[in-house]
Amino acid sequence: ESVLTQSPGTLSASPGDRATLSCRASQSVSNTYLAWYQQKPGQAPRLLIYGASHRASGIPDRFSGSGSGTEFTLTISRLEPEDFAVYYCQQYVSSVFTFGPGTKVDIK
Amino acid sequence: QVHLQESGPGLVKPSETLSLTCTVSGSSISNDNHYWGWIRQPPGKDLEWIGSFYYGGSTDYNPSLKSRVSISVDTSKNHFSLRLSSVTAEDTAVYFCASDRSISWFYYWGQGYLVTVSS
């Protein structure tokens, strides 16, 4: 079973800062099968990035994804007030979905 | 635009079976090329995938839940259902239904439905 870990657990930042979130897989993941979500309290997750680097419909271009193999990154170029939330990576491997434990981005 | 809405009992007794329904609008489960799934999130905890299916194809389940889970479809009502047997307090969670045209991520999500397991 492939496990996802995310770092940092919490990222304290200010509006306007650049945020870099990491997702590491215990086994190599095809880029096709790596996604990122944003979740705010009381809401369903929102798909941000699919296929490791493709922005989902309606997602601002300040969000970008990169990486391959076992190391993936979500970058928010300039944090807006609405970006403070929890971010999850997700993989699809051998017909099984796995989510990472999340990175909480909070206001410093 | 696909819209998903979860419904069902919000309180289930330990050892009983949890049953939820996801009603779909804006898309046809049987005619559109979508994958459909269930994900849950215990209060304050991480997301956990429960299972997914493609109409006319296979259904996949989380190996850790496989012995207790089943997903079924009612095309006449355009909804799909989740059954989780022998529940314990650890099954208390917000349950989401979700879908996408891709097999490997979910773009459309229901709002989520809290199910509490308690006597």
Side-chain angles (χ1 to χ4, degrees):
Chain A
E1 177 186 341
S2 180
V3 176
L4 295 175
T5 56
Q6 292 186 241
S7 61
T10 301
L11 176 64
S12 295
S14 301
D17 287 351
R18 181 182 183 90
T20 302
L21 286 64
S22 174
C23 175
R24 175 175 293 177
S26 60
Q27 300 175 21
S28 184
V29 180
S30 166
N31 282 21
T32 304
Y33 300 134
L34 194 289
W36 289 91
Y37 298 84
Q38 176 195 68
Q39 188 179 33
K40 297 179 181 179
Q43 296 184 15
R46 174 192 183 196
L47 179 67
L48 296 175
I49 300 289
Y50 64 91
S53 61
H54 303 280
R55 275 188 300 277
S57 177
I59 301 304
D61 61 7
R62 65 179 180 273
F63 291 92
S64 63
S66 62
S68 63
T70 60
E71 301 279 349
F72 297 89
T73 300
L74 175 70
T75 301
I76 310 171
S77 59
R78 288 179 56 86
L79 283 165
E80 297 288 342
E82 62 267 28
D83 299 337
F84 292 93
V86 180
Y87 293 84
Y88 294 95
C89 56
Q90 171 247 297
Q91 65 179 354
Y92 178 72
V93 175
S94 300
S95 301
V96 173
F97 290 84
T98 309
F99 292 88
T103 290
K104 182 178 182 179
V105 179
D106 65 14
I107 299 176
K108 185 186 293 183
Chain B
Q1 181 77 359
V2 179
H3 183 72
L4 305 166
Q5 179 70 57
E6 306 90 348
S7 61
L11 181 64
V12 182
K13 290 182 168 56
S15 80
E16 296 189 344
T17 296
L18 178 159
S19 296
L20 291 175
T21 294
C22 180
T23 300
V24 179
S25 57
S27 177
S28 168
I29 294 175
S30 59
N31 293 331
D32 290 344
N33 298 326
H34 275 252
Y35 293 85
W36 311 91
W38 289 98
I39 300 99
R40 71 179 182 177
Q41 186 172 37
K45 296 189 178 180
D46 304 334
L47 297 162
E48 180 180 36
W49 172 70
I50 300 171
S52 300
F53 73 96
Y54 180 83
Y55 184 76
S58 64
T59 302
D60 296 311
Y61 297 111
N62 187 321
S64 68
L65 298 170
K66 189 172 185 176
S67 64
R68 299 194 291 130
V69 174
S70 68
I71 295 174
S72 61
V73 180
D74 186 336
T75 55
S76 67
K77 296 179 180 178
N78 207 37
H79 72 211
F80 60 100
S81 298
L82 169 71
R83 288 175 57 86
L84 179 66
S85 63
S86 305
V87 297
T88 70
E90 292 189 348
D91 295 309
T92 293
V94 175
Y95 286 76
F96 297 97
C97 55
S99 78
D100 200 283
R101 290 188 180 275
S102 166
I103 194 173
S104 47
W105 52 78
F106 296 105
Y107 180 82
Y108 301 102
W109 291 72
Q111 65 186 21
Y113 195 81
L114 176 62
V115 179
T116 301
V117 179
S118 174
S119 56

